[in-house]
Amino acid sequence: MKKVTLLVLDGFGIGAMDDCQSAEDIKANTYKNLRESISLEIPFLYQLGLGKIVDGEGETKAAYGKSNLAHHGADTFMGHQELMGSLPGVPKKRLMGEIGPKIKAALEDKGYKVSYPIEGATVLLVNGAVIIGDNIESQLGNIINVVGDMNQLTFEELALIGRVVRAHVDTSRVIVFSNKKTNIATILSVVKENHLGQWGVDSPKANVYGEGYRVLHLGHGVDFEKQFAFMAEKSGYPVYRIGKTADVIQANGYENPVVDTKDVLETFHRIYNQTKEEAVFLVNVQETDLAGHKEDCDWYKSVLECSDQFLANFIPELKDDELLIITADHGNDPTIGHSNHTREQTPILIVGPDIKPVSIGTRNTMADIAATMADYLGIEKPEYGESFLNIIR
């Protein structure tokens, strides 16, 4: 009975990409800099093959290698799209002050009523129920937010508006989100200017998060119907998304956007053991990334050590035809001097009863992981990526 698991340690990079340009990011190495800053005990990951990847020493219990990032920058959403077999487009930095008129015209052509609800601000109000504005929590110009009042329209109707926006902007992402707990009055009340000319909704204050939260990420140059998760479901494999994968990977099956690492791993373990059919599990440990953003080495250490201990207990339980791939989506070095992601290579560790402890070298794209998972299941391969199954099996 085939089970395939992808476990992403979010932000766990192993050294700057050769194309890094900023002086700070050239020095980034999340794993090495962390272990030099604090006593870090992750012996199981090290013995699986992390030591071989990073230090070139020791025996390995897993197939091992590393990957370059093919997507532009270092982004969790785009990283996961790449991991699913996409090659995201190169986005542009845009603010609503520049692209708002184009979005307004496109929506009006579709029959929506669009206005500027706040004098001097660049956000748009659509049908009295939706605010379109800059994402003020991410890097400047990276994302456009579409925030709606689901007491006035369904999430599906809100998503249609988001797709019109996506078709007329070339930013990295358009994020569509809402919650019935909020309303348009609350959303409007927390619109603010973060940087000069950057106007958007203060999402935490808009009361959208928590139980009832709905979100859809629309990436630049991404077609989820050509990704591994979609193809696995089309072939009859249920796909379980646990942790941040519930938000950033498009699928129709089980989703639980749990954040606490212990809860993420316990939820995965419980559902894995309960599942008596062939299945796919896409799991994200997010707190490594959150610790990187907070520049908190102690927190990062505790999350990694919790993950290491879990894997030491879980991997011996793997049965025939069960495959586990451990990787990351980018770097987030907490020692580098800023709180943003770092553009780093990512480790790849592949474990299973029929997997040889051999090197897969340096992959050009993380999409190779998606191609390998598809190959293992015997389904159609995603749009991008080359399988390394013939090397490891």
Side-chain angles (χ1 to χ4, degrees):
M1 182 174 64
K2 289 184 177 178
K3 289 184 180 179
V4 173
T5 301
L6 177 65
L7 175 63
V8 179
L9 299 174
D10 204 313
F12 187 54
I14 55 169
M17 290 272 294
D18 289 340
D19 62 3
C20 280
Q21 296 182 355
S22 80
E24 291 173 319
D25 282 9
I26 288 172
K27 297 180 292 184
N29 189 319
T30 301
Y31 171 51
K32 275 195 168 182
N33 289 340
L34 182 67
R35 75 184 189 188
E36 290 172 5
S37 300
I38 195 168
S39 175
L40 178 63
E41 299 294 335
I42 50 172
F44 193 75
L45 279 166
Y46 199 82
Q47 292 162 15
L48 279 182
L50 185 60
K52 197 75 169 179
I53 298 168
V54 175
D55 299 321
E57 62 183 38
E59 298 298 321
T60 66
K61 296 181 179 179
Y64 63 94
K66 56 185 176 181
S67 180
N68 291 317
L69 309 184
H71 72 274
H72 180 77
D75 181 75
T76 292
F77 175 77
M78 289 303 192
H80 279 75
Q81 305 317 299
E82 187 179 335
L83 283 165
M84 288 296 100
S86 289
L87 182 62
V90 179
K92 296 291 193 299
K93 302 288 187 182
R94 309 285 190 193
L95 292 176
M96 284 293 292
E98 174 191 357
I99 59 177
K102 182 180 179 181
I103 295 172
K104 184 174 184 291
L107 287 166
E108 288 173 339
D109 284 345
K110 296 287 186 181
Y112 294 101
K113 183 179 178 181
V114 188
S115 64
Y116 288 95
I118 301 172
E119 185 176 355
T122 57
V123 298
L124 297 174
L125 175 65
V126 183
N127 284 8
V130 179
I131 290 293
I132 302 173
D134 301 312
N135 181 304
I136 60 175
E137 286 86 31
S138 72
Q139 293 180 349
L140 193 68
N142 200 38
I143 299 171
I144 300 297
N145 281 353
V146 180
V147 193
D149 181 348
M150 286 203 302
N151 299 289
Q152 297 192 54
L153 79 172
T154 66
F155 188 77
E156 290 68 29
E157 291 169 330
L158 181 62
L160 288 175
I161 294 172
R163 293 186 188 281
V164 175
V165 176
R166 174 73 280 174
H168 291 86
V169 299
D170 53 3
T171 54
S172 174
R173 265 183 286 170
V174 171
I175 305 180
V176 182
F177 58 95
S178 189
N179 194 322
K180 283 190 176 181
K181 295 189 302 183
T182 194
N183 55 53
I184 194 62
T186 300
I187 295 166
L188 277 168
S189 72
V190 294
V191 170
K192 70 178 187 179
E193 185 179 30
N194 193 29
H195 298 284
L196 182 64
Q198 183 196 36
W199 286 90
V201 174
D202 186 328
S203 299
K205 292 183 179 178
N207 199 30
V208 294
Y209 297 130
E211 185 177 355
Y213 176 59
R214 297 286 303 277
V215 63
L216 173 65
H217 294 256
L218 301 171
H220 179 51
V222 171
D223 183 352
F224 74 87
E225 292 188 359
K226 297 178 181 179
Q227 294 183 341
F228 168 71
F230 181 87
M231 291 175 170
E233 286 188 329
K234 187 172 70 171
S235 298
Y237 291 91
V239 175
Y240 296 83
R241 291 167 295 151
I242 301 168
K244 198 170 184 178
T245 55
D247 293 336
V248 299
I249 293 175
Q250 187 74 23
N252 296 311
Y254 177 90
E255 57 179 338
N256 185 345
V258 60
V259 175
D260 179 83
T261 300
K262 186 177 180 181
D263 290 344
V264 168
L265 298 173
E266 287 181 351
T267 300
F268 161 60
H269 197 195
R270 182 181 69 254
I271 294 174
Y272 192 91
N273 287 336
Q274 290 173 351
T275 302
K276 304 304 180 184
E277 58 186 343
E278 297 187 321
V280 173
F281 300 85
L282 306 174
V283 186
N284 179 278
V285 172
Q286 185 182 359
E287 284 190 296
T288 36
D289 191 46
L290 298 178
H293 284 307
K294 195 177 177 184
E295 302 175 69
D296 188 332
C297 292
D298 289 311
W299 187 10
Y300 209 125
K301 163 190 164 72
S302 68
V303 177
L304 279 180
E305 291 181 351
C306 177
S307 301
D308 187 77
Q309 291 161 14
F310 169 80
L311 289 167
N313 293 322
F314 173 73
I315 286 177
E317 299 175 2
L318 290 175
K319 300 177 179 63
D320 291 343
D321 285 335
E322 295 184 359
L323 179 74
L324 168 66
I325 300 178
I326 306 160
T327 191
D329 51 350
H330 51 73
N332 198 339
D333 191 331
T335 74
I336 203 68
H338 61 68
S339 61
N340 298 325
H341 292 161
T342 43
R343 185 166 169 78
E344 298 180 54
Q345 292 181 316
T346 56
I348 305 173
L349 299 169
I350 313 105
V351 185
D354 61 346
I355 300 303
K356 299 183 295 185
V358 296
S359 172
I360 61 168
T362 300
R363 315 306 295 186
N364 291 325
T365 170
M366 297 186 295
D368 288 358
I369 291 173
T372 302
M373 293 189 294
D375 195 6
Y376 193 82
L377 293 179
I379 65 174
E380 183 182 357
K381 66 175 290 187
E383 187 173 16
Y384 294 98
E386 294 297 329
S387 173
F388 47 75
L389 186 63
N390 64 321
I391 301 173
I392 65 174
R393 205 170 198 178

